[in-house]
């Protein structure tokens, strides 16, 4: 990928401007979301528990507000431990309560749907601020804003993004600005919470030098301990170490660490987080040749896919189906529209039409997919042009059947082929949030099941 457009004044034609990368990471994100809808929690210690229920002691800490962290509460800790360090605030106005209010915290269970909706509002601002956004998790993203600003004013640009998140969404982000991804990530963490740290080109190595090796991208606790044992404690030590030695000890990863410690990271920010396609599939308990049963299943899947597309503000230009026939033959068919649409009725109609070919076949599994997605303010094409006329009825059952809670087999994705860049090597030192569903290229996404994953390459 080449980066076109703006160059810094005075930059020779052959040279590209130094990339301007922003790393945005929300502060105590789940707790910040809870505070947004419950303002009395502002400034208070707040603990959000995974697997926690009101009044109970089970579960683990997902995150804690910075006030709660002062008491030694931290992510991944057992709630029971957190409660020992920070007792639960008595939420009623019980006059018998003798808890000192300053020594107690508010405990809340995880509400992922709500955090996802807040995250979507933040991501909207990020996509508005940059041409290239790499969404890493529910609360973290990289932006390449090289073409949107210049180093001389990059701090103001980043502050503007940060302020918009604060003002328009009501949660706080810490932002790092640097000429590469790993430095930007370290910068965003450097002055949390409410941080804004700019590392200019030429200053990266100096910025990293005093940091503990454990703070570097890609250096885990075990590696950090090994490095320390040989006297390498800081990024400066690592940068000064012999690359061949590091390679001998840690393989290619050793060379990578060495480069990172020297501030070298030429990975480009590649977009992620917006799927290329959306699909759902469903297996029958036994292969079936009951055309009405399969058609009913197709209708359900079509509605679910259209619903998901609408939920993601996606329009689609291609509608496809998949039919798996015994023993395990995967058949796919697709039709493309003249332009992008958001039309659940059309998804159903086209899917059924494509499926007619398999009406007499025994099928094991069926799927519906929409692809050729567009997310911007694309115009909705007219539905004429050989697509059954412009007056196709809306199926009208989108909302209900989209959920399919009692579908005989669970629905799963089938091979959403979200784009993914070369930066995604197995050792990509990024955080990943198991609850994040924004990245459909991640086969472990929560909407996939083993069935769905087994067919990832099929469609
Ligand atoms: N999370 C989780 N379990 C963990 C770590 C994090 O469930 N072990 C969730 C809760 C966090 C969210 O992911 O709010 C984002 O993770 P971060 O590591 O960015 O942590 P926070 O945003 O909570 O805090 P910080 O201000 O340090 O970024
Ligand atoms: Mg965070």
């Amino acid at each position: 990928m080449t980066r076109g457009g703006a160059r810094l004044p005075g930059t020779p034609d052959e040279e590209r401007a130094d990339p301007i990368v922003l790393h945005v990471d929300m502060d105590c994100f789940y707790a910040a979301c809870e505070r947004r809808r419950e303002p009395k929690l502002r400034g208070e210690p707040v603990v959000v528990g995974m697997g926690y229920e009101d009044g109970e002691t089970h579960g683990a800490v997902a995150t804690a507000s910075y006030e709660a962290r002062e008491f030694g509460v931290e992510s991944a800790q057992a709630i029971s431990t957190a409660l020992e360090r920070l007792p639960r605030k008595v939420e009623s106005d019980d006059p018998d309560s003798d808890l000192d209010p300053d020594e107690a915290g508010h405990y809340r269970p995880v509400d992922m749907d709500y955090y996802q909706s807040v995250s979507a509002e933040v991501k909207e601002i990020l996509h508005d601020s940059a041409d290239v956004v790499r969404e890493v998790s529910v609360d973290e993203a990289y932006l390449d804003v090289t073409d949107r600003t210049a180093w001389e004013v990059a701090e103001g640009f980043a502050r503007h993004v940060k302020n918009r998140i604060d003002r328009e969404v009501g949660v706080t982000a810490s932002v790092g600005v640097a000429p590469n991804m790993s430095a930007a990530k370290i910068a965003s963490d450097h002055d949390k919470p409410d941080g804004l740290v700019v590392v200019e080109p030429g200053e990266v190595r100096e910025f990293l030098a005093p940091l503990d090796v454990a703070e570097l991208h890609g250096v885990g606790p075990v590696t950090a301990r090994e490095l320390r044992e040989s006297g390498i404690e800081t990024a400066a030590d690592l940068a000064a170490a012999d690359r061949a030695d590091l390679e001998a000890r840690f393989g290619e990863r050793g060379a990578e660490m060495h480069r990172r410690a020297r501030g070298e990271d030429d990975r480009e920010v590649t977009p992620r987080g917006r799927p290329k396609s959306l699909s759902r599939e469903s297996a029958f308990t036994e292969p079936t040749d009951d055309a009405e049963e399969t058609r009913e299943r197709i209708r359900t899947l079509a509605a679910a896919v259209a619903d998901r597309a609408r939920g993601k503000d996606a329009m689609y230009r291609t509608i496809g189906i998949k039919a798996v026939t015994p023993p395990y033959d995967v058949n796919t068919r697709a039709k493309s529209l003249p332009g992008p649409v958001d039309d659940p009725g059309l998804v159903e109609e086209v899917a059924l039409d494509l499926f007619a070919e398999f009406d007499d076949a025994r099928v094991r599994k069926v799927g519906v997919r929409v692809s050729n997605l567009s997310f911007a303010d694309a115009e909705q094409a007219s539905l004429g042009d050989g697509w059954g006329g412009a007056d196709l009825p809306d199926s009208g059952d989108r909302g209900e059947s989209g959920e399919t809670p009692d579908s005989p087999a669970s629905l799963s994705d089938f091979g959403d082929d979200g784009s993914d860049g070369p930066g995604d090597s197995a050792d990509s030192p990024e955080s990943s949030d198991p609850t994040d569903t924004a990245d459909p290229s991640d086969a472990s996404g929560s909407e996939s099941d083993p069935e769905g994953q087994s067919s990832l390459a099929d469609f």
Side-chain angles (χ1 to χ4, degrees):
M1 190 171 25
T2 55
R3 189 179 287 113
R7 292 198 170 90
L8 289 181
T11 307
D13 276 353
E14 302 75 31
E15 280 180 33
R16 289 198 322 223
D18 281 302
I20 308 174
V21 178
L22 262 58
H23 180 258
V24 177
D25 188 300
M26 312 308 297
D27 298 329
C28 57
F29 184 56
Y30 295 2
C33 293
E34 293 297 341
R35 282 176 166 162
R36 179 174 103 145
R37 63 178 170 185
E38 208 181 338
K40 76 162 192 199
L41 301 182
R42 287 193 195 138
E44 296 278 319
V46 177
V47 179
V48 179
M50 184 106 58
Y52 167 78
E53 289 166 278
D54 283 331
E56 302 291 336
T57 57
H58 53 245
V61 175
T63 196
S65 72
Y66 282 77
E67 293 80 357
R69 293 179 197 191
E70 301 270 301
F71 292 85
V73 178
E74 54 190 44
S75 287
Q77 197 168 59
I79 290 286
S80 53
T81 307
L83 283 165
E84 284 167 17
R85 299 184 178 185
L86 176 69
R88 188 165 20 222
K89 193 146 222 146
V90 177
E91 302 276 351
S92 70
D93 302 324
D94 182 357
D96 296 335
S97 162
D98 55 0
L99 281 178
D100 175 356
D102 289 340
E103 297 291 311
H106 301 263
Y107 285 71
R108 295 287 180 272
V110 164
D111 178 356
M112 210 53 219
D113 286 346
Y114 181 61
Y115 311 151
Q116 293 279 10
S117 74
V118 177
S119 174
E121 289 181 41
V122 173
K123 303 280 167 76
E124 201 53 51
I125 293 172
L126 302 184
H127 283 279
D128 198 35
S129 307
D131 301 313
V132 184
V133 178
R134 181 177 189 81
E135 297 181 16
V136 176
S137 77
V138 71
D139 94 321
E140 184 187 348
Y142 293 92
L143 281 60
D144 185 332
V145 299
T146 316
D147 294 345
R148 296 281 188 110
T149 184
W151 272 109
E152 291 86 336
V153 291
E155 180 170 349
F157 183 93
R159 187 167 301 285
H160 180 68
V161 174
K162 185 169 150 56
N163 288 345
R164 273 192 70 187
I165 295 169
D166 235 322
R167 214 174 39 240
E168 296 175 32
V169 189
V171 291
T172 310
S174 287
V175 180
V177 188
N180 66 51
M181 291 172 72
S182 52
K185 182 170 170 77
I186 293 167
S188 78
D189 202 41
H190 200 67
D191 194 25
K192 255 182 181 293
D194 201 16
L196 172 56
V197 173
V198 180
V199 184
E200 304 229 359
E203 290 179 354
V204 177
R205 192 162 164 180
E206 192 185 333
F207 166 70
L208 299 175
L211 301 182
D212 191 297
V213 284
E215 290 183 56
L216 291 175
H217 236 177
V219 179
V222 177
T223 308
R225 200 165 49 240
E226 279 187 55
L227 289 170
R228 268 186 223 115
E229 277 162 13
S230 54
I232 298 174
E233 299 196 346
T234 63
D237 298 338
L238 186 56
D242 184 66
R243 184 171 297 185
D245 275 358
L246 292 168
E247 257 182 307
R249 286 173 63 191
F250 300 101
E252 171 53 26
R253 218 160 50 81
E256 185 69 12
M257 281 189 280
H258 190 239
R259 280 194 290 274
R260 296 283 167 85
R262 298 163 72 95
E264 298 161 14
D265 172 14
D266 56 9
R267 289 175 303 158
E268 263 189 79
V269 181
T270 51
R272 191 168 75 166
R274 294 208 163 170
K276 280 186 169 171
S277 67
L278 298 166
S279 62
R280 283 294 176 95
E281 67 175 18
S282 171
F284 296 96
T285 324
E286 298 276 14
T288 178
D289 57 5
D290 180 339
E292 204 30 59
E293 190 184 1
T294 46
R295 292 171 71 78
E296 194 45 46
R297 192 70 66 87
I298 292 279
R299 282 189 199 100
T300 301
L301 293 167
V305 165
D307 196 46
R308 255 178 100 196
R310 195 168 278 181
K312 290 178 182 289
D313 274 334
M315 310 237 282
Y316 30 87
R317 213 164 75 69
T318 301
I319 297 166
I321 57 123
K322 165 165 139 177
V324 180
T325 52
Y328 212 89
D329 295 327
V330 179
N331 307 279
T332 61
R333 302 288 181 270
K335 272 188 179 176
S336 285
L337 309 165
V341 298
D342 163 16
D343 187 335
L346 191 62
V347 178
E348 176 182 312
E349 168 147 326
V350 172
L352 287 172
D353 189 35
L354 292 169
F355 203 77
E357 182 186 338
F358 301 96
D359 269 353
D360 297 323
R362 265 157 58 79
V363 291
R364 196 184 267 295
K365 187 188 261 189
V366 293
V368 176
R369 153 178 287 191
V370 294
S371 54
N372 255 323
L373 303 183
S374 47
F375 294 89
D377 315 308
E379 286 295 304
Q380 178 150 356
S382 92
L383 301 179
D385 306 336
W387 281 89
D391 296 318
L392 290 166
D394 191 286
S395 63
D397 60 358
R398 217 172 42 83
E400 285 279 312
S401 56
E403 302 301 324
T404 60
D406 48 15
S407 165
S410 71
L411 301 181
S412 65
D413 288 357
F414 70 115
D416 288 353
D417 56 354
S419 66
D420 224 341
D424 229 11
S425 57
D427 65 347
S428 178
E430 295 175 340
S431 72
S432 63
D433 179 348
T435 53
D436 178 30
T437 57
D439 176 20
S441 65
D442 177 0
S444 65
S446 66
E447 288 181 310
S448 294
D449 69 3
E451 291 260 32
Q453 287 175 34
S454 69
S455 60
L456 273 176
D458 292 336
F459 198 49

mmCIF file of all heavy atoms in Angstrom, residues 201-232:
data_model
loop_
_atom_site.group_PDB
_atom_site.id
_atom_site.type_symbol
_atom_site.label_atom_id
_atom_site.label_comp_id
_atom_site.label_asym_id
_atom_site.label_seq_id
_atom_site.Cartn_x
_atom_site.Cartn_y
_atom_site.Cartn_z
ATOM 1 N N PRO A 201 9.186 12.403 15.384
ATOM 2 C CA PRO A 201 10.197 11.627 14.652
ATOM 3 C C PRO A 201 11.585 12.047 15.144
ATOM 4 O O PRO A 201 11.814 13.214 15.432
ATOM 5 C CB PRO A 201 9.995 12.052 13.198
ATOM 6 C CG PRO A 201 8.626 12.607 13.132
ATOM 7 C CD PRO A 201 8.318 13.184 14.486
ATOM 8 N N GLY A 202 12.460 11.107 15.254
ATOM 9 C CA GLY A 202 13.803 11.442 15.726
ATOM 10 C C GLY A 202 13.918 11.414 17.240
ATOM 11 O O GLY A 202 15.017 11.450 17.785
ATOM 12 N N GLU A 203 12.783 11.355 17.938
ATOM 13 C CA GLU A 203 12.826 11.320 19.409
ATOM 14 C C GLU A 203 12.435 9.965 19.969
ATOM 15 O O GLU A 203 12.391 9.787 21.184
ATOM 16 C CB GLU A 203 11.841 12.347 19.991
ATOM 17 C CG GLU A 203 12.225 13.784 19.789
ATOM 18 C CD GLU A 203 11.175 14.733 20.383
ATOM 19 O OE1 GLU A 203 10.116 14.253 20.846
ATOM 20 O OE2 GLU A 203 11.425 15.942 20.359
ATOM 21 N N VAL A 204 12.131 9.034 19.079
ATOM 22 C CA VAL A 204 11.547 7.779 19.556
ATOM 23 C C VAL A 204 12.522 7.005 20.447
ATOM 24 O O VAL A 204 12.179 6.574 21.547
ATOM 25 C CB VAL A 204 11.089 6.894 18.371
ATOM 26 C CG1 VAL A 204 10.545 5.570 18.871
ATOM 27 C CG2 VAL A 204 10.033 7.619 17.548
ATOM 28 N N ARG A 205 13.751 6.895 19.967
ATOM 29 C CA ARG A 205 14.710 6.088 20.736
ATOM 30 C C ARG A 205 14.969 6.707 22.110
ATOM 31 O O ARG A 205 15.040 6.001 23.120
ATOM 32 C CB ARG A 205 16.006 5.945 19.941
ATOM 33 C CG ARG A 205 16.902 4.910 20.536
ATOM 34 C CD ARG A 205 17.949 4.434 19.579
ATOM 35 N NE ARG A 205 18.990 3.726 20.304
ATOM 36 C CZ ARG A 205 20.049 3.194 19.747
ATOM 37 N NH1 ARG A 205 20.213 3.302 18.417
ATOM 38 N NH2 ARG A 205 20.953 2.575 20.463
ATOM 39 N N GLU A 206 15.056 8.016 22.120
ATOM 40 C CA GLU A 206 15.281 8.742 23.369
ATOM 41 C C GLU A 206 14.090 8.569 24.318
ATOM 42 O O GLU A 206 14.245 8.412 25.526
ATOM 43 C CB GLU A 206 15.432 10.218 22.968
ATOM 44 C CG GLU A 206 15.931 11.165 24.004
ATOM 45 C CD GLU A 206 15.875 12.589 23.429
ATOM 46 O OE1 GLU A 206 15.954 12.761 22.188
ATOM 47 O OE2 GLU A 206 15.712 13.516 24.231
ATOM 48 N N PHE A 207 12.902 8.581 23.753
ATOM 49 C CA PHE A 207 11.688 8.402 24.553
ATOM 50 C C PHE A 207 11.660 7.009 25.186
ATOM 51 O O PHE A 207 11.318 6.837 26.355
ATOM 52 C CB PHE A 207 10.458 8.610 23.651
ATOM 53 C CG PHE A 207 9.151 8.143 24.241
ATOM 54 C CD1 PHE A 207 8.574 8.821 25.313
ATOM 55 C CD2 PHE A 207 8.489 7.027 23.733
ATOM 56 C CE1 PHE A 207 7.361 8.392 25.859
ATOM 57 C CE2 PHE A 207 7.289 6.594 24.279
ATOM 58 C CZ PHE A 207 6.720 7.279 25.343
ATOM 59 N N LEU A 208 12.036 6.010 24.393
ATOM 60 C CA LEU A 208 11.980 4.639 24.889
ATOM 61 C C LEU A 208 13.095 4.330 25.881
ATOM 62 O O LEU A 208 12.912 3.506 26.793
ATOM 63 C CB LEU A 208 12.081 3.652 23.708
ATOM 64 C CG LEU A 208 10.983 3.719 22.640
ATOM 65 C CD1 LEU A 208 11.310 2.755 21.503
ATOM 66 C CD2 LEU A 208 9.615 3.388 23.234
ATOM 67 N N ALA A 209 14.255 4.978 25.710
ATOM 68 C CA ALA A 209 15.477 4.576 26.415
ATOM 69 C C ALA A 209 15.300 4.232 27.893
ATOM 70 O O ALA A 209 15.732 3.160 28.333
ATOM 71 C CB ALA A 209 16.554 5.641 26.228
ATOM 72 N N PRO A 210 14.666 5.096 28.696
ATOM 73 C CA PRO A 210 14.599 4.794 30.136
ATOM 74 C C PRO A 210 13.569 3.743 30.525
ATOM 75 O O PRO A 210 13.527 3.324 31.681
ATOM 76 C CB PRO A 210 14.223 6.154 30.754
ATOM 77 C CG PRO A 210 13.540 6.913 29.676
ATOM 78 C CD PRO A 210 14.090 6.412 28.369
ATOM 79 N N LEU A 211 12.726 3.314 29.571
ATOM 80 C CA LEU A 211 11.637 2.400 29.939
ATOM 81 C C LEU A 211 12.152 1.005 30.278
ATOM 82 O O LEU A 211 13.112 0.510 29.685
ATOM 83 C CB LEU A 211 10.630 2.283 28.790
ATOM 84 C CG LEU A 211 9.953 3.567 28.334
ATOM 85 C CD1 LEU A 211 8.962 3.252 27.221
ATOM 86 C CD2 LEU A 211 9.267 4.262 29.506
ATOM 87 N N ASP A 212 11.462 0.390 31.212
ATOM 88 C CA ASP A 212 11.725 -1.003 31.552
ATOM 89 C C ASP A 212 11.441 -1.863 30.313
ATOM 90 O O ASP A 212 10.469 -1.623 29.606
ATOM 91 C CB ASP A 212 10.769 -1.391 32.695
ATOM 92 C CG ASP A 212 11.136 -2.730 33.301
ATOM 93 O OD1 ASP A 212 11.069 -3.739 32.572
ATOM 94 O OD2 ASP A 212 11.500 -2.756 34.489
ATOM 95 N N VAL A 213 12.283 -2.863 30.084
ATOM 96 C CA VAL A 213 12.074 -3.718 28.903
ATOM 97 C C VAL A 213 10.662 -4.320 28.851
ATOM 98 O O VAL A 213 10.111 -4.531 27.771
ATOM 99 C CB VAL A 213 13.099 -4.874 28.797
ATOM 100 C CG1 VAL A 213 14.432 -4.360 28.325
ATOM 101 C CG2 VAL A 213 13.216 -5.630 30.118
ATOM 102 N N ALA A 214 10.081 -4.550 30.035
ATOM 103 C CA ALA A 214 8.750 -5.165 30.083
ATOM 104 C C ALA A 214 7.688 -4.271 29.445
ATOM 105 O O ALA A 214 6.616 -4.736 29.062
ATOM 106 C CB ALA A 214 8.365 -5.481 31.517
ATOM 107 N N GLU A 215 7.990 -2.985 29.346
ATOM 108 C CA GLU A 215 7.013 -2.069 28.754
ATOM 109 C C GLU A 215 7.059 -2.062 27.234
ATOM 110 O O GLU A 215 6.213 -1.461 26.582
ATOM 111 C CB GLU A 215 7.244 -0.639 29.272
ATOM 112 C CG GLU A 215 6.874 -0.480 30.732
ATOM 113 C CD GLU A 215 7.052 0.955 31.200
ATOM 114 O OE1 GLU A 215 6.456 1.850 30.576
ATOM 115 O OE2 GLU A 215 7.814 1.164 32.157
ATOM 116 N N LEU A 216 8.060 -2.720 26.680
ATOM 117 C CA LEU A 216 8.164 -2.720 25.221
ATOM 118 C C LEU A 216 7.186 -3.706 24.614
ATOM 119 O O LEU A 216 6.908 -4.765 25.172
ATOM 120 C CB LEU A 216 9.592 -3.094 24.793
ATOM 121 C CG LEU A 216 10.665 -2.069 25.093
ATOM 122 C CD1 LEU A 216 12.035 -2.640 24.716
ATOM 123 C CD2 LEU A 216 10.416 -0.771 24.331
ATOM 124 N N HIS A 217 6.721 -3.333 23.471
ATOM 125 C CA HIS A 217 5.871 -4.170 22.655
ATOM 126 C C HIS A 217 6.514 -5.529 22.413
ATOM 127 O O HIS A 217 7.632 -5.606 21.943
ATOM 128 C CB HIS A 217 5.782 -3.466 21.297
ATOM 129 C CG HIS A 217 4.401 -3.188 20.904
ATOM 130 N ND1 HIS A 217 4.084 -2.521 19.768
ATOM 131 C CD2 HIS A 217 3.231 -3.507 21.482
ATOM 132 C CE1 HIS A 217 2.784 -2.424 19.680
ATOM 133 N NE2 HIS A 217 2.255 -2.999 20.698
ATOM 134 N N GLY A 218 5.815 -6.593 22.731
ATOM 135 C CA GLY A 218 6.330 -7.910 22.361
ATOM 136 C C GLY A 218 7.279 -8.516 23.382
ATOM 137 O O GLY A 218 7.793 -9.598 23.155
ATOM 138 N N VAL A 219 7.517 -7.818 24.477
ATOM 139 C CA VAL A 219 8.351 -8.398 25.529
ATOM 140 C C VAL A 219 7.446 -8.798 26.683
ATOM 141 O O VAL A 219 6.935 -7.958 27.415
ATOM 142 C CB VAL A 219 9.438 -7.411 26.019
ATOM 143 C CG1 VAL A 219 10.277 -8.050 27.130
ATOM 144 C CG2 VAL A 219 10.326 -6.972 24.865
ATOM 145 N N GLY A 220 7.233 -10.098 26.822
ATOM 146 C CA GLY A 220 6.377 -10.592 27.900
ATOM 147 C C GLY A 220 7.157 -10.716 29.192
ATOM 148 O O GLY A 220 8.371 -10.488 29.212
ATOM 149 N N PRO A 221 6.482 -11.067 30.285
ATOM 150 C CA PRO A 221 7.150 -11.138 31.588
ATOM 151 C C PRO A 221 8.300 -12.149 31.623
ATOM 152 O O PRO A 221 9.309 -11.901 32.273
ATOM 153 C CB PRO A 221 6.029 -11.552 32.552
ATOM 154 C CG PRO A 221 4.771 -11.632 31.766
ATOM 155 C CD PRO A 221 5.049 -11.363 30.339
ATOM 156 N N VAL A 222 8.138 -13.267 30.923
ATOM 157 C CA VAL A 222 9.187 -14.291 30.957
ATOM 158 C C VAL A 222 10.444 -13.788 30.251
ATOM 159 O O VAL A 222 11.559 -13.867 30.777
ATOM 160 C CB VAL A 222 8.690 -15.602 30.294
ATOM 161 C CG1 VAL A 222 9.802 -16.637 30.256
ATOM 162 C CG2 VAL A 222 7.471 -16.139 31.037
ATOM 163 N N THR A 223 10.239 -13.226 29.055
ATOM 164 C CA THR A 223 11.369 -12.670 28.302
ATOM 165 C C THR A 223 12.025 -11.543 29.093
ATOM 166 O O THR A 223 13.254 -11.439 29.147
ATOM 167 C CB THR A 223 10.875 -12.134 26.942
ATOM 168 O OG1 THR A 223 10.122 -13.167 26.309
ATOM 169 C CG2 THR A 223 12.033 -11.726 26.058
ATOM 170 N N ALA A 224 11.189 -10.713 29.720
ATOM 171 C CA ALA A 224 11.735 -9.585 30.487
ATOM 172 C C ALA A 224 12.653 -10.097 31.599
ATOM 173 O O ALA A 224 13.734 -9.549 31.825
ATOM 174 C CB ALA A 224 10.595 -8.757 31.074
ATOM 175 N N ARG A 225 12.230 -11.171 32.250
ATOM 176 C CA ARG A 225 13.049 -11.728 33.336
ATOM 177 C C ARG A 225 14.375 -12.250 32.780
ATOM 178 O O ARG A 225 15.443 -11.986 33.328
ATOM 179 C CB ARG A 225 12.274 -12.853 34.044
ATOM 180 C CG ARG A 225 12.809 -13.154 35.431
ATOM 181 C CD ARG A 225 11.859 -13.976 36.285
ATOM 182 N NE ARG A 225 11.343 -15.145 35.596
ATOM 183 C CZ ARG A 225 10.045 -15.360 35.360
ATOM 184 N NH1 ARG A 225 9.148 -14.475 35.749
ATOM 185 N NH2 ARG A 225 9.642 -16.452 34.739
ATOM 186 N N GLU A 226 14.287 -12.957 31.663
ATOM 187 C CA GLU A 226 15.518 -13.477 31.049
ATOM 188 C C GLU A 226 16.466 -12.350 30.665
ATOM 189 O O GLU A 226 17.676 -12.451 30.842
ATOM 190 C CB GLU A 226 15.177 -14.283 29.786
ATOM 191 C CG GLU A 226 14.741 -15.694 30.064
ATOM 192 C CD GLU A 226 14.582 -16.483 28.766
ATOM 193 O OE1 GLU A 226 15.543 -16.552 27.975
ATOM 194 O OE2 GLU A 226 13.462 -16.979 28.542
ATOM 195 N N LEU A 227 15.896 -11.290 30.127
ATOM 196 C CA LEU A 227 16.736 -10.153 29.727
ATOM 197 C C LEU A 227 17.407 -9.536 30.951
ATOM 198 O O LEU A 227 18.607 -9.249 30.942
ATOM 199 C CB LEU A 227 15.900 -9.097 28.990
ATOM 200 C CG LEU A 227 15.429 -9.463 27.580
ATOM 201 C CD1 LEU A 227 14.415 -8.452 27.057
ATOM 202 C CD2 LEU A 227 16.614 -9.539 26.605
ATOM 203 N N ARG A 228 16.622 -9.361 32.000
ATOM 204 C CA ARG A 228 17.160 -8.754 33.215
ATOM 205 C C ARG A 228 18.307 -9.577 33.789
ATOM 206 O O ARG A 228 19.295 -9.030 34.272
ATOM 207 C CB ARG A 228 16.050 -8.608 34.260
ATOM 208 C CG ARG A 228 15.378 -7.261 34.173
ATOM 209 C CD ARG A 228 14.377 -7.053 35.300
ATOM 210 N NE ARG A 228 13.179 -6.438 34.743
ATOM 211 C CZ ARG A 228 11.992 -7.012 34.693
ATOM 212 N NH1 ARG A 228 11.820 -8.224 35.186
ATOM 213 N NH2 ARG A 228 10.978 -6.383 34.157
ATOM 214 N N GLU A 229 18.149 -10.901 33.710
ATOM 215 C CA GLU A 229 19.198 -11.773 34.235
ATOM 216 C C GLU A 229 20.526 -11.551 33.519
ATOM 217 O O GLU A 229 21.589 -11.780 34.069
ATOM 218 C CB GLU A 229 18.776 -13.245 34.126
ATOM 219 C CG GLU A 229 17.893 -13.661 35.291
ATOM 220 C CD GLU A 229 17.112 -14.941 35.011
ATOM 221 O OE1 GLU A 229 17.435 -15.632 34.021
ATOM 222 O OE2 GLU A 229 16.176 -15.228 35.784
ATOM 223 N N SER A 230 20.445 -11.095 32.259
ATOM 224 C CA SER A 230 21.712 -10.828 31.577
ATOM 225 C C SER A 230 22.010 -9.320 31.557
ATOM 226 O O SER A 230 22.738 -8.836 30.698
ATOM 227 C CB SER A 230 21.685 -11.407 30.165
ATOM 228 O OG SER A 230 20.561 -10.925 29.480
ATOM 229 N N GLY A 231 21.423 -8.621 32.505
ATOM 230 C CA GLY A 231 21.787 -7.211 32.689
ATOM 231 C C GLY A 231 21.073 -6.244 31.758
ATOM 232 O O GLY A 231 21.397 -5.062 31.730
ATOM 233 N N ILE A 232 20.116 -6.735 30.998
ATOM 234 C CA ILE A 232 19.384 -5.833 30.105
ATOM 235 C C ILE A 232 18.082 -5.432 30.790
ATOM 236 O O ILE A 232 17.147 -6.225 30.881
ATOM 237 C CB ILE A 232 19.101 -6.526 28.742
ATOM 238 C CG1 ILE A 232 20.432 -6.869 28.071
ATOM 239 C CG2 ILE A 232 18.238 -5.648 27.859
ATOM 240 C CD1 ILE A 232 20.292 -7.682 26.797
#
